[in-house]
């Protein structure tokens, strides 16, 4: 795993029960645009199941020893149920969202994800 990632790199946070179209479409569009994007599981396991029972194998996990939100210029939150409540229950993520919002750093949230209370 790379020690320091490009500041224009995007982190797509993946939780059990995400709406797969809201996550994988973002990954596909960024790939086609040449923008680096990592799928990041919010749990130690890298395999996550979507709301429609599609299995997604993430690139990284928040639990990875070398993981740092500082390696990403943008954090993207796909919606879905129970994906959104699962994102909201992830304290390292909500702490990072609060920090980014206070620092006026970019965060993107799709569909139900903007309803996360931080």
């Amino acid at each position: 795993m790379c020690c320091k990632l490009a500041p224009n790199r995007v982190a797509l946070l993946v939780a059990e029960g995400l709406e797969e179209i809201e996550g994988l479409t973002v990954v596909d569009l960024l790939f086609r645009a040449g923008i680096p994007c990592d799928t990041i599981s919010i749990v130690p396991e890298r395999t996550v199941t979507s709301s429609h029972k599609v299995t997604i194998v993430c690139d990284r996990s928040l639990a990875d020893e070398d993981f740092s939100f500082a390696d990403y210029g943008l954090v993207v939150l796909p919606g879905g149920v129970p994906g959104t409540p699962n994102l909201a229950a992830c304290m390292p993520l909500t702490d990072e969202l609060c920090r980014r919002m206070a620092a006026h750093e970019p965060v993107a949230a799709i569909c139900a994800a903007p309803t996360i209370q931080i």
Side-chain angles (χ1 to χ4, degrees), residues 10-13 22-23 26 30 73-79 87 93 97 100-101 105-116:
V10 174
L12 179 98
L13 280 292
E22 296 172 13
V26 170
L30 292 171
L74 173 64
V75 172
V76 178
L77 308 173
L87 290 173
L93 174 58
L97 294 175
R100 282 181 181 256
M101 291 174 69
E105 294 177 9
V107 174
I110 301 167
C111 197
T115 65
I116 294 175

Side-chain angles (χ1 to χ4, degrees), residues 64-116:
D64 290 352
E65 188 175 302
D66 64 343
F67 178 82
S68 173
F69 279 110
D71 294 335
Y72 298 93
L74 173 64
V75 172
V76 178
L77 308 173
V81 175
T84 296
N86 288 335
L87 290 173
C90 178
M91 291 305 297
L93 174 58
T94 57
D95 290 347
E96 177 64 12
L97 294 175
C98 288
R99 189 201 67 74
R100 282 181 181 256
M101 291 174 69
H104 303 287
E105 294 177 9
V107 174
I110 301 167
C111 197
T115 65
I116 294 175

Side-chain angles (χ1 to χ4, degrees), residues 12-109:
L12 179 98
L13 280 292
V14 180
E16 285 286 323
L18 81 150
E19 182 71 36
E20 64 275 354
I21 194 80
E22 296 172 13
L24 298 179
T25 300
V26 170
V27 173
D28 182 58
L29 289 170
L30 292 171
F31 175 81
R32 291 168 188 256
I35 299 169
C37 177
D38 291 334
T39 51
I40 313 294
S41 171
I42 65 166
V43 295
E45 300 77 26
R46 290 187 183 195
T47 301
V48 178
T49 303
S50 75
S51 61
H52 296 107
K53 307 300 182 217
V54 174
T55 301
I56 299 167
V57 180
C58 296
D59 301 310
R60 305 184 75 195
S61 167
L62 290 182
D64 290 352
E65 188 175 302
D66 64 343
F67 178 82
S68 173
F69 279 110
D71 294 335
Y72 298 93
L74 173 64
V75 172
V76 178
L77 308 173
V81 175
T84 296
N86 288 335
L87 290 173
C90 178
M91 291 305 297
L93 174 58
T94 57
D95 290 347
E96 177 64 12
L97 294 175
C98 288
R99 189 201 67 74
R100 282 181 181 256
M101 291 174 69
H104 303 287
E105 294 177 9
V107 174

